[in-house]
Amino acid sequence: MPPLLTTLNSQQKQAVTYANGPLLIIAGAGTGKTNVITYKIAWLIKQKLAKPDEILALTFTDKASQEMEERVDKLLPYGVFDMWISTFHSFCQRILENHALDIGLSTDYRLLNQTETWLLMRKNLYKFNLDYYRPRGNPSKFIHAMLKLFSRLKDENITPEEYLKYAESLTSSADNTMSDESSLLESRRIKETAESFYQYQQIMLDNNFLDFGDLIYYANKLFIQRPNILQKYQKQFKYILVDEFQDTNLAQYQLVKILTNSNSNLTVVGDDDQAIFKFRGASVSNILNFKKDFPKAKKIVLNKNYRSSQNILDAAYQFIQHNNPDRLECQSIDKKLYAQTDKRGRIDFIKAVDGSDEVNQVIKKIRELLNNPETNYNDIAILVRANRAADLFIEALEREKLPFIYLASAGLYQQQIIIDLLSYARILADRADSVSLSRILTIPGLKIDTEDVLKINYWAKRKTYSLFETLENIRALPDIKEETVQKIENLVSKLKENAKQAENTGAIEMLIKILNDTQYREYLIALEQKNPAKTMQYASFINQLINKIKSYAQLYNDKTIKGFIEHVDLEREAGDTGSLNQDLTEIGPEAIKILTIHSAKGLEFKYVFIVNMVQQRFPTNRRRDQIEIPRDLIETRETLPQGDEHLLEERRLFYVALTRAKQGVFFTAAQNYGGKRNAKPSQFLLEAGIIDDMSLRAKSEASSIGDLLLLPRNNIKQIQITYQYPIPSEFSYSQIAAFRKCQLQYKYQFILKIPQDKGKGTFSFGQTMHSTLLETFKRVKMRASSNNQASLFGKTTPTPPQKNNSITIDEIYQIYQQKWIDDWYDDPLNKKHFYKAGKKILKKFYEHHQNNWPVPVYLEKPFHVNLNDFIIKGRIDRIDKINDNKGIEIIDYKTSLYKEKLYPDDKTQLLIYQIALENNDPPPQKLTYYFLNEKKQGSISFIGDNKEVCKTKKNLIDTITQIKQSDFPAKPNKFTCQFCDFKNICAESAV
């Protein structure tokens, strides 16, 4: 047996090594399905059954695809350069970037999120011929419902034309048969939605926009209408693997089936009992009917569970069988899971009087668990069915001073630190906004005395002045401390100064200024000493706000802070509280986790609390879509279940919650949650065998009711935890260079991720030049490709590549103007100087290449390389083939001064690229820095010999080893500190 497979069990080995035809892997909870997929990719590459770019692996989240890629990297003795591991949406986006023109789409389309589509539809509402769905008092009332309908139609692979044809047939039938008024109204309602769907798609195309559903839709359309392109990818992908197959919708499954031909080997991995994303359009019928679509497919069941105790698995198995016959197990498949541990788990039921009592008893139980020295905060999770159920638990954990993290997927604009920053930004545009100004006075970094703040608000109301006017006359107020007066005067002065500056300064630059003025960066550094996890979470919120500003500026071509604040107000009007991206690996481990069951999918914890186990809370009442797809349209596409769809889904959700637990699961329920009637216990408790009957009487072996009076808090052992910083799992050249300069700087930038002080005009200029050349070569490559394009019938007519007329200097100037970033320059004169310099550089670059534009193989190509299980990642500006395609040249652009000679440190970045591609076919034969400088432009090239490569590898491994072991001490010196972004908040700074 090859060493790669020695850690796998017999079922997993069989799944990994099966390589002859379609394969369905039914992977129960905790059975190591991710291992199977990653090992299968690595095994196929290692056995030379396929090259990395001949394997397509599809999953559903960026995190999952990134984790899969990292695992594959670690399984192979070298990095893999050109893998196709991605989400469905990223895969389709990559396809459309190369082939959108083949179906009449522009390649520079803009991808809109849900809120942006809402804003677009509201702006264009007059173009929709709405009657039924346009109430006079609130014309935008049904926009969300319409967009949900359009998204579901795309999930079901129903085109606008198809839906409109269906609607017209209903209208025609109703008119011809003299139907009653109700039937006529219904047919016209459906026709109105069909016409709206058609109009929506037209507006998106007219504005060069796509939504996420469009990516799948147009990729399917491309492959159907352009068989030559389909054939290219069918030939390329010898193996196709789909993770979480039970979560695919019909459009995604259609894409998989189109790409699969007689020469493809399709492997799908999933578990129908964990299909919990129907609300996102997922169709569990895909996995249930896989054998009908691929009758020769082999089935392999993974049922050895490496997570939970057997009694927990038995309870889950007993429970989920209530979903029969709508399960794969009813197709002669044994899905019972077998624990690989002999430990017996705890299955406890906690009965409470009311909601507050339920929360208090959960806290008591958590303290009891923490009294065990082998248990820490990270071992415990509270799972809620809906976000609103988390509030009481959050308040209680804060009150009890227990560290916790609430992992929500939305609510950025509701975070306290973000409210503070946005309040400051609002005052810059409107001094009369006293509510926002009051908020600013309480910002922790300003340290304004609370008693004085109350006095200031009192006098502002008494004298009927605006709060800002009151602050301007702060010395006229009695009994205000001198220290407070000075702080207020300083604040007012900065607000006035910033209000003027905000008119001509970009929003991101203003946000950084706000961070400095409010001393929030200093606050984060101080907080890190007490609560590192909270510091990292706050820094993450700020960085996510910065990314939202960037996205807004790109979409609306408006960089002002005022414009962004108005956009935030529109988003909130659309019901968007700001999407949140929280990763457990980034915010640190030492905290109790509160999260929804949907968010917990794929995670595991030693102890799990499943709360609010009463009817209408779990299972919830059915909530139908406001506008539903006609059932007869769906029935033609997917097999609908025999049982109640909603209850089946709720059961699967409970099954997922139960199987997150390793050693213990606690069910909690209260008799009353504030209503006139007592709550009824959840039927799931009875179905899982947790209670004997519906009177909330616990089975004797599962009960912990008699043990609820736990130790008093002062008798509970205090837990001392040494915080372990979450070191990045991947490393880049910039990380390594930062660590070598100063380890504390590395910690601030790459671990805590505290926003940097101020950008530099040189960085903006460098990014502008990189973006301009990237777009320039994209067009050169696309035009060269179109000259050798195959016809629809697969016949290729080669054409000599274009030379002089590949691209004009005016076109490059136009790209330059579009890509120009005008943030962070010292003054308008400095900005003008750089802009002129850029045009001179581009002219020289054009003159150098105009007679023979190179056609790159790759542009901005990401890579991963494995060095002793350390992953180095990066992105290469350009890769060209040279020497009659026998080698490649790696090119990196620099906007610094031209260098006549490269010293060892100068070579490191390109040597990393050489290491990453050393197993590439063809191999690197030339490493080039191309200096884009107005004084002297040109390139300097080399190739690393064996000694240089080995030394670079050793230095990289040594540095990363130090990073993983470091306490991150400062290395202050005047030169390093002078150019450090954290010099103003670092106590160790030498300047």
Side-chain angles (χ1 to χ4, degrees):
M1 183 66 63
L4 181 69
L5 306 181
T6 53
T7 60
L8 304 180
N9 64 41
S10 58
Q11 298 166 338
Q12 293 170 333
K13 286 174 186 172
Q14 187 183 11
V16 167
T17 57
Y18 186 80
N20 297 303
L23 170 64
L24 170 61
I25 303 173
I26 303 158
T31 57
K33 71 172 181 59
T34 306
N35 266 356
V36 168
I37 298 173
T38 53
Y39 274 75
K40 192 176 186 74
I41 295 170
W43 185 81
L44 291 169
I45 294 171
K46 205 169 183 183
Q47 297 297 309
K48 299 189 186 241
L49 293 173
K51 297 177 182 177
D53 65 347
E54 293 174 338
I55 302 171
L56 172 63
L58 297 170
T59 186
F60 284 86
T61 66
D62 291 325
K63 181 183 175 184
S65 63
Q66 181 180 349
E67 182 181 337
M68 195 182 296
E69 194 165 342
E70 288 173 11
R71 290 194 185 192
V72 172
D73 282 329
K74 290 183 178 180
L75 290 173
L76 295 171
Y78 50 83
V80 179
F81 173 62
D82 200 19
M83 287 192 292
W84 287 68
I85 298 177
S86 70
T87 64
F88 274 91
H89 291 108
S90 295
F91 168 71
C92 292
Q93 193 167 3
R94 185 172 177 179
I95 294 296
L96 292 177
E97 282 176 356
N98 292 327
H99 304 289
L101 290 175
D102 293 277
I103 50 172
L105 288 177
S106 172
T107 55
D108 61 346
Y109 59 81
R110 171 72 162 84
L111 194 60
L112 301 188
N113 62 31
Q114 187 176 356
T115 299
E116 289 165 343
T117 57
W118 187 94
L119 295 172
L120 181 71
M121 189 168 176
R122 195 188 77 157
K123 180 181 177 181
N124 292 277
L125 201 56
Y126 66 94
K127 294 182 180 179
F128 293 83
N129 187 24
L130 296 176
D131 179 30
Y132 192 98
Y133 288 113
R134 192 172 186 173
R136 291 177 183 173
N138 185 8
S140 60
K141 178 180 179 180
F142 290 103
I143 292 179
H144 275 303
M146 283 280 190
L147 291 171
K148 180 70 180 294
L149 172 68
F150 303 160
S151 176
R152 289 286 291 111
L153 286 164
K154 291 173 185 178
D155 291 341
E156 295 286 334
N157 212 26
I158 299 173
T159 67
E161 294 79 9
E162 187 178 358
Y163 190 38
L164 190 58
K165 183 178 179 181
Y166 167 81
E168 287 172 344
S169 70
L170 288 182
T171 305
S172 175
S173 175
D175 290 341
N176 292 337
T177 57
M178 302 284 291
S179 298
D180 58 46
E181 186 176 344
S182 175
S183 298
L184 286 170
L185 182 62
E186 177 65 6
S187 63
R188 289 167 186 166
R189 180 191 71 82
I190 292 175
K191 186 177 181 184
E192 183 173 304
T193 61
E195 290 174 341
S196 297
F197 184 31
Y198 191 92
Q199 182 63 44
Y200 168 79
Q201 285 299 100
Q202 193 57 52
I203 290 171
M204 294 287 282
L205 287 173
D206 291 344
N207 289 276
N208 203 21
F209 294 148
L210 298 182
D211 60 30
F212 285 95
D214 285 330
L215 293 174
I216 312 291
Y217 168 70
Y218 284 115
N220 272 322
K221 183 177 181 179
L222 171 73
F223 289 139
I224 291 169
Q225 294 187 355
R226 297 292 182 260
N228 60 305
I229 296 174
L230 172 61
Q231 188 178 21
K232 171 185 181 294
Y233 288 103
Q234 284 179 333
K235 185 178 179 181
Q236 176 179 339
F237 298 128
K238 294 180 180 178
Y239 292 89
I240 300 174
L241 300 92
V242 183
D243 189 17
E244 303 287 8
F245 183 62
Q246 76 279 350
D247 294 333
T248 54
N249 59 42
L250 290 182
Q252 290 164 336
Y253 189 26
Q254 170 74 9
L255 182 72
V256 171
K257 286 191 286 189
I258 286 175
L259 284 168
T260 305
N261 62 15
S262 57
N263 296 320
S264 303
N265 290 277
L266 173 63
T267 298
V268 299
V269 187
D271 180 11
D272 57 303
D273 292 332
Q274 297 186 72
I276 60 173
F277 292 109
K278 179 69 177 174
F279 70 97
R280 292 183 187 169
S283 174
V284 70
S285 68
N286 289 345
I287 192 168
L288 294 175
N289 294 329
F290 184 78
K291 282 288 287 183
K292 292 180 182 178
D293 296 325
F294 296 91
K296 295 182 179 179
K298 184 176 179 61
K299 289 185 297 185
I300 297 175
V301 180
L302 307 181
N303 58 12
K304 292 183 179 181
N305 179 283
Y306 295 90
R307 177 185 300 157
S308 306
S309 301
Q310 189 63 53
N311 57 329
I312 294 175
L313 296 177
D314 288 344
Y317 183 68
Q318 172 185 327
F319 168 78
I320 200 60
Q321 288 186 85
H322 287 81
N323 268 3
N324 291 341
D326 299 301
R327 297 177 60 237
L328 273 173
E329 194 164 36
C330 296
Q331 299 179 18
S332 302
I333 299 172
D334 181 9
K335 292 190 62 188
K336 182 175 175 59
L337 299 177
Y338 298 92
Q340 301 305 293
T341 176
D342 294 331
K343 290 184 179 179
R344 183 170 179 80
R346 293 182 66 174
I347 304 178
D348 289 2
F349 172 65
I350 299 173
K351 178 181 177 181
V353 177
D354 55 27
S356 296
D357 185 36
E358 181 182 13
V359 170
N360 290 336
Q361 294 199 39
V362 168
I363 298 296
K364 287 180 181 180
K365 183 61 70 175
I366 288 174
R367 287 192 174 278
E368 177 195 357
L369 295 172
L370 291 171
N371 203 40
N372 184 335
E374 295 183 358
T375 301
N376 61 46
Y377 299 119
N378 188 46
D379 292 326
I380 299 169
I382 299 172
L383 303 186
V384 296
R385 173 62 184 87
N387 281 305
R388 65 179 179 275
D391 293 342
L392 287 176
F393 294 96
I394 291 171
E395 292 171 9
L397 290 170
E398 285 180 338
R399 183 178 66 245
E400 296 296 314
K401 300 191 183 310
L402 290 170
F404 73 94
I405 294 293
Y406 175 41
L407 292 166
S409 59
L412 178 65
Y413 302 143
Q414 297 170 335
Q415 302 303 319
Q416 298 302 311
I417 191 169
I418 300 302
I419 294 173
D420 288 347
L421 297 174
L422 294 181
S423 294
Y424 195 110
R426 289 179 191 281
I427 292 300
L428 302 184
D430 182 11
R431 293 183 186 179
D433 187 349
S434 294
V435 174
S436 294
L437 189 53
S438 287
R439 178 83 194 193
I440 294 173
L441 297 178
T442 64
I443 289 176
L446 296 180
K447 299 179 181 177
I448 298 175
D449 184 79
T450 303
E451 184 180 343
D452 284 341
V453 171
L454 294 174
K455 291 177 183 178
I456 291 168
N457 284 319
Y458 166 78
W459 286 110
K461 291 177 182 177
R462 180 172 176 175
K463 294 181 177 295
T464 66
Y465 293 155
S466 72
L467 183 56
F468 196 91
E469 290 171 326
T470 304
L471 296 181
E472 285 183 302
N473 297 281
I474 187 67
R475 291 195 174 274
L477 302 185
D479 301 325
I480 305 295
K481 300 181 185 69
E482 177 61 26
E483 182 183 4
T484 299
V485 169
Q486 292 178 12
K487 289 179 179 179
I488 294 295
E489 287 179 336
N490 183 48
L491 173 64
V492 169
S493 174
K494 287 182 176 178
L495 286 170
K496 289 179 178 179
E497 176 189 338
N498 290 338
K500 292 179 181 177
Q501 192 173 345
E503 296 175 3
N504 301 306
T505 303
I508 293 177
E509 194 169 345
M510 284 308 305
L511 181 64
I512 298 301
K513 188 157 183 36
I514 292 170
L515 282 171
N516 289 330
D517 290 350
T518 56
Q519 298 184 53
Y520 247 123
R521 284 162 25 97
E522 290 90 334
Y523 171 75
L524 292 179
I525 294 297
L527 180 64
E528 188 251 344
Q529 302 301 316
K530 301 176 183 177
N531 193 337
K534 187 64 71 176
T535 296
M536 297 178 69
Q537 190 177 45
Y538 282 172
S540 173
F541 292 155
I542 296 171
N543 288 318
Q544 289 182 61
L545 182 65
I546 290 172
N547 289 334
K548 282 190 174 292
I549 294 174
K550 289 179 180 177
S551 177
Y552 165 78
Q554 182 181 3
L555 179 61
Y556 296 100
N557 196 27
D558 179 5
K559 296 183 178 181
T560 66
I561 195 79
K562 180 181 178 182
F564 176 70
I565 291 295
E566 291 172 351
H567 178 71
V568 169
D569 292 340
L570 285 173
E571 285 189 318
R572 302 197 71 168
E573 183 185 340
D576 186 354
T577 58
S579 59
L580 271 173
N581 178 23
Q582 299 190 80
D583 187 344
L584 286 176
T585 61
E586 290 185 355
I587 58 179
E590 301 301 342
I592 297 163
K593 308 302 186 297
I594 306 176
L595 64 167
T596 66
I597 300 170
H598 283 101
S599 301
K601 178 83 187 314
L603 303 177
E604 59 182 36
F605 304 92
K606 186 183 289 187
Y607 298 108
V608 166
F609 289 82
I610 307 175
V611 301
N612 294 180
M613 288 301 304
V614 296
Q615 291 294 112
Q616 299 184 24
R617 292 196 173 212
F618 201 7
T620 61
N621 289 334
R622 175 191 291 274
R623 290 200 307 171
R624 296 183 179 275
D625 291 336
Q626 282 185 285
I627 310 175
E628 294 189 317
I629 302 176
R631 191 173 180 85
D632 51 343
L633 255 184
I634 295 178
E635 287 176 339
T636 62
R637 286 170 160 74
E638 60 177 300
T639 305
L640 297 179
Q642 297 180 37
D644 180 285
E645 285 184 83
H646 175 71
L647 190 57
L648 293 172
E649 180 102 350
E650 288 290 292
R651 280 202 189 99
R652 293 193 292 264
L653 193 59
F654 181 79
Y655 178 83
V656 166
L658 186 50
T659 54
R660 299 309 94 196
K662 295 180 181 179
Q663 296 180 20
V665 58
F666 303 89
F667 304 95
T668 72
Q671 290 179 314
N672 189 280
Y673 286 94
K676 293 182 180 180
R677 297 182 179 180
N678 283 347
K680 293 182 179 180
S682 170
Q683 68 186 80
F684 292 170
L685 293 172
L686 187 64
E687 293 174 356
I690 308 303
I691 60 175
D692 279 333
D693 55 47
M694 295 302 280
S695 65
L696 272 180
R697 186 168 63 86
K699 294 177 74 171
S700 58
E701 69 168 354
S703 175
S704 66
I705 294 177
D707 193 32
L708 288 177
L709 296 176
L710 305 175
L711 294 169
R713 188 190 308 176
N714 57 5
N715 288 340
I716 294 179
K717 176 183 169 185
Q718 294 299 311
I719 301 168
Q720 298 295 326
I721 293 177
T722 301
Y723 187 83
Q724 298 293 321
Y725 286 99
I727 305 299
S729 57
E730 299 178 333
F731 300 87
S732 65
Y733 169 73
S734 56
Q735 283 190 49
I736 290 165
F739 183 81
R740 288 173 177 171
K741 284 181 184 175
C742 175
Q743 296 180 29
L744 184 59
Q745 177 188 355
Y746 175 88
K747 176 183 174 182
Y748 287 161
Q749 185 174 354
F750 293 104
I751 296 179
L752 299 179
K753 298 184 179 178
I754 292 174
Q756 297 179 31
D757 185 7
K758 182 183 176 183
K760 298 179 177 65
T762 52
F763 291 165
S764 296
F765 181 71
Q767 189 176 342
T768 297
M769 300 306 296
H770 276 73
S771 299
T772 300
L773 292 182
L774 172 63
E775 181 59 30
T776 296
F777 277 106
K778 271 186 178 179
R779 297 189 188 185
V780 169
K781 186 176 179 180
M782 182 179 63
R783 289 168 191 177
S785 175
S786 65
N787 289 333
N788 200 25
Q789 185 66 268
S791 73
L792 290 181
F793 305 100
K795 185 178 179 181
T796 303
T797 307
T799 305
Q802 293 178 325
K803 290 188 178 180
N804 292 348
N805 58 346
S806 285
I807 193 165
T808 66
I809 185 62
D810 289 337
E811 192 175 355
I812 295 175
Y813 285 159
Q814 185 181 26
I815 295 170
Y816 177 63
Q817 187 175 6
Q818 292 170 349
K819 301 294 182 181
W820 174 256
I821 301 169
D822 60 3
D823 295 329
W824 305 116
Y825 292 98
D826 295 332
D827 52 59
L829 192 63
N830 180 251
K831 185 193 304 184
K832 187 177 180 180
H833 166 75
F834 272 98
Y835 188 83
K836 286 183 176 179
K839 293 191 74 172
K840 289 181 182 178
I841 290 169
L842 290 172
K843 187 177 181 182
K844 287 183 179 179
F845 191 87
Y846 170 79
E847 289 171 349
H848 178 72
H849 291 90
Q850 64 175 323
N851 292 322
N852 189 16
W853 281 96
V855 180
V857 183
Y858 297 111
L859 292 166
E860 288 288 318
K861 187 65 180 175
F863 69 84
H864 287 68
V865 61
N866 181 5
L867 292 178
N868 279 25
D869 288 337
F870 297 147
I871 303 299
I872 311 286
K873 68 174 183 178
R875 192 175 292 270
I876 301 172
D877 289 342
R878 198 175 104 209
I879 300 174
D880 295 350
K881 283 189 177 179
I882 57 174
N883 298 334
D884 295 327
N885 296 336
K886 293 178 182 177
I888 57 173
E889 179 182 10
I890 297 172
I891 301 166
D892 188 78
Y893 301 121
K894 298 290 182 187
T895 52
S896 54
L897 291 173
Y898 180 85
K899 290 189 175 183
E900 301 287 348
K901 181 181 178 182
L902 296 177
Y903 292 95
D905 285 349
D906 298 325
K907 295 182 176 183
T908 301
Q909 185 175 0
L910 284 179
L911 286 170
I912 291 174
Y913 297 167
Q914 180 180 342
I915 293 166
L917 272 67
E918 63 186 352
N919 292 292
N920 189 68
D921 183 20
Q925 292 184 353
K926 194 175 183 182
L927 308 177
T928 299
Y929 282 125
Y930 197 103
F931 291 92
L932 301 164
N933 192 275
E934 60 178 315
K935 294 180 179 178
K936 183 174 181 180
Q937 183 175 137
S939 61
I940 184 168
S941 303
F942 70 99
I943 189 71
D945 58 28
N946 186 59
K947 183 179 178 181
E948 285 179 305
V949 168
C950 290
K951 184 178 179 181
T952 301
K953 286 181 180 180
K954 182 180 183 305
N955 289 340
L956 291 170
I957 292 169
D958 289 346
T959 302
I960 295 173
T961 302
Q962 291 173 36
I963 291 174
K964 288 182 173 289
Q965 298 172 350
S966 178
D967 292 328
F968 307 105
K971 286 172 53 178
N973 66 70
K974 288 188 176 180
F975 180 80
T976 300
C977 294
Q978 181 181 354
F979 297 100
C980 178
D981 289 305
F982 307 101
K983 62 185 178 185
N984 295 326
I985 60 173
C986 178
E988 306 290 334
S989 177
V991 294

